[in-house]
Amino acid sequence: MKIMVIVAHPNLENSRANRALMQQAKQNTNGNVDIRDLYKEYPDWNIDIEREQQLILQYDRVVFQFPFYWYSCPPLLKKWFDDVLTFGWAFGPEGNSLRGKEFMLSTTAAGLEQGYRAGGDNWYTASELLRPIQATLNRCKVNYLPAFVAYNVDRISDEVLQAEAHRYADQVLAPAIVESRY
């Protein structure tokens, strides 16, 4: 299985958690995982739509890794969705290019896990808050896999962060056992 991890962090150099996850993915590639830094590739925000579409077609699974920003993704990743997932290519009557491919979200949150539940500080689970992105991907007829969420990343110890990185590799890089909806 070929996997592409698209890291979308506007300040990756200063992100202890996202760098740890990215490093873990690099260590577990076995030649089948490619990692891309969206902010490094597009510092001017001029996304090469055709290139991105052609890249996606080469992979079985696409993982979007990003910090949880105001209950969503960083703005360049949102722009990527808007620009790359076009009508007639990714969705719509003739938009079947992504049908059956696996897509997954991987996000890091500064808040505690118990803050992301009914009645918690954020009122909703991370899964509920990620639903707009999930709905976008579902519109593209993909197999949406359960999201990976690492909590409390600003305060966890190096040991706990390393354990989260291993959990990330186990979930994100492992073959999924899901039946296609399409």
Side-chain angles (χ1 to χ4, degrees):
M1 168 179 287
K2 287 191 66 173
I3 301 170
M4 177 170 57
V5 178
I6 298 175
V7 180
H9 195 301
N11 196 2
L12 187 58
E13 308 80 44
N14 294 324
S15 173
R16 184 173 150 251
N18 278 276
R19 279 186 299 117
L21 299 180
M22 193 171 75
Q23 287 304 115
Q24 188 67 40
K26 284 180 181 178
Q27 292 175 10
N28 290 287
T29 63
N30 295 330
N32 66 333
V33 178
D34 292 319
I35 300 167
R36 302 176 53 224
D37 179 346
L38 202 60
Y39 276 85
K40 187 175 183 180
E41 289 188 44
Y42 297 112
D44 59 2
W45 288 48
N46 290 318
I47 297 170
D48 184 338
I49 296 165
E50 187 174 320
R51 175 180 179 258
E52 293 297 317
Q53 290 176 341
Q54 291 306 310
L55 279 171
I56 291 173
L57 295 176
Q58 297 174 31
Y59 294 88
D60 304 302
R61 178 182 296 164
V62 178
V63 179
F64 298 102
Q65 179 187 317
F66 57 91
F68 213 31
Y69 268 35
W70 286 107
Y71 309 111
S72 188
C73 62
L76 184 57
L77 182 54
K78 173 62 168 98
K79 184 178 185 332
W80 188 97
F81 290 135
D82 293 345
D83 290 358
V84 175
L85 303 179
T86 58
F87 181 83
W89 184 80
F91 68 99
E94 303 298 319
N96 295 313
S97 296
L98 304 178
R99 180 184 295 271
K101 287 188 176 288
E102 295 178 354
F103 278 70
M104 174 185 255
L105 304 178
S106 170
T107 191
T108 55
L112 299 171
E113 185 172 4
Q114 59 261 33
Y116 288 93
R117 62 176 160 206
D121 293 340
N122 298 295
W123 293 89
Y124 303 99
T125 66
S127 180
E128 290 171 314
L129 293 167
L130 291 169
R131 288 242 169 91
I133 299 172
Q134 179 181 356
T136 298
L137 295 172
N138 285 341
R139 173 72 77 190
C140 298
K141 304 174 196 90
V142 306
N143 291 331
Y144 181 82
L145 302 177
F148 172 88
V149 183
Y151 298 96
N152 198 30
V153 295
D154 290 351
R155 294 175 289 280
I156 57 177
S157 68
D158 290 341
E159 294 77 23
V160 173
L161 180 57
Q162 195 57 41
E164 284 296 281
H166 286 289
R167 186 173 70 87
Y168 168 85
D170 289 345
Q171 183 176 340
V172 172
L173 306 178
I177 303 172
V178 294
E179 289 186 30
S180 175
R181 291 178 46 194
Y182 301 99

